[in-house]
Every structure is written in structure tokens, then in C-alpha cells.
Amino acid sequence: MAPRTVGRAQGALRSPSDTVARPVRVPKMAELVAAELRRQIIRGELAEGDALPSESELMEQFGISRPTLREAFRVLESESLIAIRRGAHGGARVQPPRREVAARYAGFILEYQGATLRDVYEARIALELPSVALLARRRTKDDLEVLTAALERHEAVPAGESLEAVRLHGDFHLLVVRLAGNETLALLSEMLHHIIEVANTSLQPDAGPLADRARRSTSKTHRKLVELIRARDAKGAEELWRRHLDEAEGYLLGDDAGSTVLDLLE
């Protein structure tokens, strides 16, 4: 009988001759220059408002041509990390990474993917519930003062200014997440904030008994939340906030729950 050929075991190491060569992309010089300047901005070595060195200085420093440098500038400008001013007193000035830039691009992606408004509101619940619990456990005296001031601003809005009341309501939700002290949760919350703010403004009644009742109920719930945070009652704060968010979702979305982010923003 002819000897049986035994195949190599799955996952066994291959010899170099078995490996199919793949082309390796070498970054363009403009990308390398942009990466170095980006690193300096993110690490704070170049501060907000600082002017970058002149083009001639940077060209000499990196050993590059003017077109290459300007291509690197275009990369950083597209990332909102520098602002280019034209004219005699122009040049490139540093801008720190901004949350609103991330939020704008997140909105583009959600629009492109056809995300529904219910999807966005469910994500808000997932972000805000752990935040209120964290805040209740970690809160400081200063946190309570900031929250109380936010409540007072919301309650001081005259009855006819519903859009301002809606804006301050949304700001309170952002504030709760921000004060919880988790930067990742705060960033993700701000990425959804613009979409939710537009939905809150466009989907709820501008005026009338229903709007007035919703505003009074919201103010009462927000005050109760601050009381629970003051008492460091993390479980109670989380339970209250879950009910509040569930009710807000049902009140605002109703038959529009299947609408997409693109439907709302276009």
C-alpha cells in the first residue's frame, strides 16, 4: 500500500517560503509630518492658540518641500487640530481635539447606517444609568452646587420659552454624565447630545397643557435625582433615572420611534 501523506496540522507554523508576500504601504512624508505635529498637539507640547513655526522653519526642520508641508497641514485642518489663517498675518494655529468634532462625525455615521431614534435613546439610557450611579457614589459638595445651579436655571425659564427650557433640560443630562467623572462616558454622551437635542426640540409640543405638565414633571424628577445623589443613594438614583428616561422616550417618540436619524436631521 502506498504510504499515506499526512497533512500539516491546522495552525502549524509555516516556513518563510510558504508565506505569500504582501505589499507594505509606506506612509507618505506628509502623513509622517502630520503624525508628528498631531502628537505634539495631543500631548500639549503645542498649546491651544499657539502659532506653528513658519513654513520655512518647518520645511527645514522636517527636510520637506512646501507642497508636502501644505499637504500635512490639510490633514491636520481636516481633523480640526489646526486652523489656517490666510493673508499677511496668517499661518497655522493650534486647536485642541474638540468633542463636537467627534459628535459631528458620529452623527454622520449614524445617519449613513440608518440608525433609528429609538436606537439613539436606548444608547442614552445605557450611558446615563451607570453615570448617575457613579455620581451618587463619588459626588462632592461642589458637584451638588453645580447641579443645584443647573436646576435653578431650568426652573427660572419663563413659561413661554419652551425651546430654552428644552435646551437646559438636555444640558442637565449632559452635566450628570460629565460630573460622574468618567471621561469616556462623557464623550460618548456628548456624541449623542446633538441628535437628542434636535429630537427633543422637534418632537415635543411647543406649548399647551401637555408641554407645561411635562416640564413640571421633568423639574420634579431632576430635583429628586439631586436629592438621591446628595444622599449617595446610587441604587435609588439609577432606578429613578431609568423611569425618567423610559417615560421621556415614550413621550417623545411615540409613533416616530422607527424614524431614522437622517429623517430627523435632513
Side-chain angles (χ1 to χ4, degrees), residues 111-141:
E111 289 181 59
Y112 178 74
Q113 293 179 335
T116 65
L117 296 183
R118 185 175 298 283
D119 185 88
V120 173
Y121 275 80
E122 287 176 351
R124 179 170 78 159
I125 291 173
L127 293 170
E128 292 192 16
L129 290 184
S131 296
V132 296
L134 276 174
L135 180 55
R137 288 193 289 267
R138 298 176 175 177
R139 64 92 176 146
T140 65
K141 181 180 177 182

Side-chain angles (χ1 to χ4, degrees), residues 39-205:
R39 181 191 65 80
Q40 293 180 36
I41 293 170
I42 291 172
R43 292 188 176 183
E45 296 169 15
L46 293 170
E48 180 176 6
D50 281 355
L52 293 182
S54 67
E55 287 190 351
S56 57
E57 290 178 78
L58 289 171
M59 287 161 56
E60 182 178 355
Q61 176 185 337
F62 290 109
I64 56 175
S65 65
R66 192 180 303 277
T68 297
L69 178 62
R70 291 186 173 177
E71 186 178 350
F73 278 1
R74 284 194 292 272
V75 171
L76 296 173
E77 191 175 23
S78 72
E79 297 171 348
S80 298
L81 291 176
I82 63 170
I84 306 294
R85 298 179 182 176
R86 315 297 175 187
H89 302 288
R93 290 194 175 271
V94 173
Q95 297 182 148
R98 298 187 183 279
R99 294 178 186 270
E100 55 266 30
V101 175
R104 185 169 66 249
Y105 278 94
F108 292 159
I109 294 169
L110 289 172
E111 289 181 59
Y112 178 74
Q113 293 179 335
T116 65
L117 296 183
R118 185 175 298 283
D119 185 88
V120 173
Y121 275 80
E122 287 176 351
R124 179 170 78 159
I125 291 173
L127 293 170
E128 292 192 16
L129 290 184
S131 296
V132 296
L134 276 174
L135 180 55
R137 288 193 289 267
R138 298 176 175 177
R139 64 92 176 146
T140 65
K141 181 180 177 182
D142 288 344
D143 292 335
L144 294 173
E145 291 176 356
V146 171
L147 288 167
T148 301
L151 289 176
E152 291 171 351
R153 284 195 299 273
H154 182 251
E155 292 172 356
V157 176
E161 298 183 17
S162 57
L163 291 181
E164 177 66 5
V166 169
R167 184 186 69 79
L168 291 174
H169 172 212
D171 287 350
F172 184 84
H173 282 249
L174 272 183
L175 182 62
V176 167
V177 179
R178 193 177 302 127
L179 292 178
N182 186 293
E183 290 295 331
T184 304
L185 288 174
L187 174 59
L188 294 173
S189 179
E190 290 191 23
M191 289 169 70
L192 297 179
H193 175 66
H194 173 66
I195 297 169
I196 291 172
E197 187 174 49
V198 173
N200 287 348
T201 302
S202 62
L203 297 180
Q204 66 180 307

